[in-house]
């Protein structure tokens, strides 16, 4: 792995946290970056506006793995408004930074988590009927 990555990035690549799927997830979202081929799938168990559990599956580069991994740590146990406040810069900062050309990875993770909150609030929480 490149010397351009922090030790935290390298650690999350070697030992990603919260990898897998959740059988009891009530929200599943996918995000990707077609330009580089990265794709992530987040599984969330949300109860009472709080993320009780989160897992992810990913196909991507080391930065995509690290940003998805640290993002799960950042949102676990957090309220949904806190998740919406999480942005790509906060994810990159939690990893002690990313090279500029890899910031799209942290944006992918943040965007997917924002979409999960929106999906939960609009369908699971009952504001909108699910697609049949």
């Amino acid at each position: 792995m490149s010397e351009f990555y922090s030790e935290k990035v390298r650690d999350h690549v070697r030992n990603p946290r919260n990898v897998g799927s959740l059988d009891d997830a009530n929200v599943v979202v996918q995000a990707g970056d077609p330009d580089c081929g990265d794709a992530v799938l987040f599984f969330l168990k949300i109860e009472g506006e709080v993320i009780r559990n989160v897992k992810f599956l990913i196909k991507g580069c080391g930065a995509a793995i690290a940003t998805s991994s640290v993002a799960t740590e950042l949102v676990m146990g957090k309220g949904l408004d806190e998740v919406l406040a999480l942005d790509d810069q906060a994810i990159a900062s939690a990893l002690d930074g990313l090279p500029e050309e890899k910031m799209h990875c942290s944006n992918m993770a943040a965007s997917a988590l924002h979409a999960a909150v929106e999906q939960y609030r609009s369908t699971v929480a009952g504001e909108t009927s699910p697609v049949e």
Side-chain angles (χ1 to χ4, degrees):
M1 178 147 299
S2 169
E3 66 277 358
F4 298 108
Y5 290 109
S6 71
E7 182 53 40
K8 285 185 182 179
V9 171
R10 292 191 295 270
D11 180 46
H12 277 272
V13 172
R14 287 189 297 264
N15 304 296
R17 282 62 151 183
N18 303 306
V19 174
S21 61
L22 289 175
D23 291 336
D24 64 344
N26 54 3
V27 178
V28 178
V29 295
Q30 181 176 350
D33 186 337
D35 291 336
C36 69
D38 294 335
V40 65
L41 191 60
F42 281 102
F43 301 83
L44 297 96
K45 178 66 175 179
I46 301 171
E47 296 173 339
E49 291 278 306
V50 174
I51 296 185
R52 299 295 179 194
N53 202 356
V54 59
K55 301 275 186 188
F56 75 100
L57 296 173
I58 191 156
K59 175 184 171 247
C61 67
I65 294 166
T67 55
S68 295
S69 174
V70 80
T72 64
E73 291 186 323
L74 293 170
V75 301
M76 189 80 73
K78 300 290 194 236
L80 299 186
D81 288 335
E82 291 175 272
V83 175
L84 289 174
L86 183 68
D87 63 10
D88 57 340
Q89 292 296 327
I91 292 171
S93 292
L95 291 167
D96 293 337
L98 286 172
E100 187 60 38
E101 65 272 11
K102 292 297 182 175
M103 284 300 293
H104 66 276
C105 296
S106 59
N107 186 49
M108 180 178 70
S111 296
L113 292 168
H114 294 173
V117 170
E118 291 170 16
Q119 180 181 335
Y120 175 81
R121 286 185 168 166
S122 68
T123 58
V124 178
E127 295 172 15
T128 307
S129 299
V131 176
E132 303 259 344

